[in-house]
Amino acid sequence: MDICKDVECVRAFVNIRKQQSKTIGFVPTMGYLHEGHMSLVKASKSMCDITVVSIFVNPKQFGPKEDYSKYPRNLERDLKLLEEAKVDMVFIPDVDTIYPEGFSTTINIGPLANVLEGAFRPGHFDGVCTVVTKLFNIVKPNKAFFGEKDYQQLKIIQKLVKDLNLDIEIVPIPTKREEDGLAMSSRNTYLNEEQRERANTIYKFLLKAKEAFENGIKDTDKIIEYAKAVLDVDVVYYIKIVDKETLEEKTAPSKYDRILIAVKIEDTRLIDNIEI
Ligand code: PAF
């Protein structure tokens, strides 16, 4: 497995493979890898000749009061997992490589970045879009793999690619869950045993909401009211049922809409979603 720390190294690696007509699959990550990330790697390996993974905790997508400095990191373990998965190359830039002195460009994709997560985390998706655009330009993949766990991010990246005519196929991958249903996330590591127990009520809530819809309740407020009794969290930032493409809020949902939730348990912010 090759390891690149700068842009020239990635370009040299990719250019050789492109000259050999190899297809490049790309999995951007912030590290602290879990089975969710590894399912993206697996998909890339099955669909592309070469798989490139990036590990970069992107400061631009964290707000001033968010967890950038304490975000979990374990590069040694990550590299071992990627080596075992037979990834071809890992890009591990430092902050100055991605944002050298004088860097000043921001990618803002418009209103889709200001709702749901964006309403609570101003600038978050500008940071995501900026770094992902840079990574796409450095790695030049044919396909890039994103998890449905970050559903709004997935839709925003699809829009970014469409709006900017980037010649990259975005491949969505279903959420990987723990046995009790909790969506896998690097942030789950912040939870102690008691909080971890409460965190599994998020998925229980989503399933209950789906059950309500399937049982004929077709009003968003009533669906939430029906399901909320199972939810044991400290703060609910939002629960919304939205159109699966436009993310427009639905008061009277229909099949294939998506229910999204963001909550806090003690100090840990968690998100999840499923198709209703
Ligand atoms: O989903 C993530 O881990 C990050 O938002 C991403 C896409 C790697 C950009 O930093």
Side-chain angles (χ1 to χ4, degrees), residues 60 68 88 137 158 160 208 263:
K60 287 201 187 292
Y68 174 66
D88 298 282
N137 282 330
Q158 285 175 331
L160 171 84
K208 198 96 187 137
V263 301

Side-chain angles (χ1 to χ4, degrees), residues 166-197:
L166 303 181
D167 193 10
I168 300 170
E169 183 193 340
I170 303 301
V171 184
I173 302 293
T175 304
K176 273 268 176 195
R177 298 184 179 279
E178 302 289 353
E179 253 173 48
D180 64 0
L182 177 66
M184 287 188 184
S185 160
S186 305
R187 288 192 170 99
N188 292 351
T189 180
Y190 298 151
L191 302 167
N192 67 25
E193 217 174 296
E194 180 258 336
Q195 294 159 1
R196 170 68 188 74
E197 196 59 37

Side-chain angles (χ1 to χ4, degrees), residues 28-30 56 58 61 128 131-132 146 150 153:
T29 81
M30 297 207 298
F56 178 64
N58 172 33
Q61 68 188 76
V128 171
V131 80
V132 168
F146 287 83
D150 296 300
Q153 169 173 282

Side-chain angles (χ1 to χ4, degrees), residues 26-31 37 40 54-59 61-62 71 99 124-125 127-129 131-132 135 145-147 150 153 157 186:
F26 178 44
V27 181
T29 81
M30 297 207 298
H37 296 110
L40 308 185
S54 65
I55 299 177
F56 178 64
V57 185
N58 172 33
Q61 68 188 76
F62 290 80
Y71 193 83
Y99 303 118
H124 167 68
F125 288 117
V128 171
C129 288
V131 80
V132 168
L135 291 168
F145 297 79
F146 287 83
D150 296 300
Q153 169 173 282
I157 299 298
S186 305

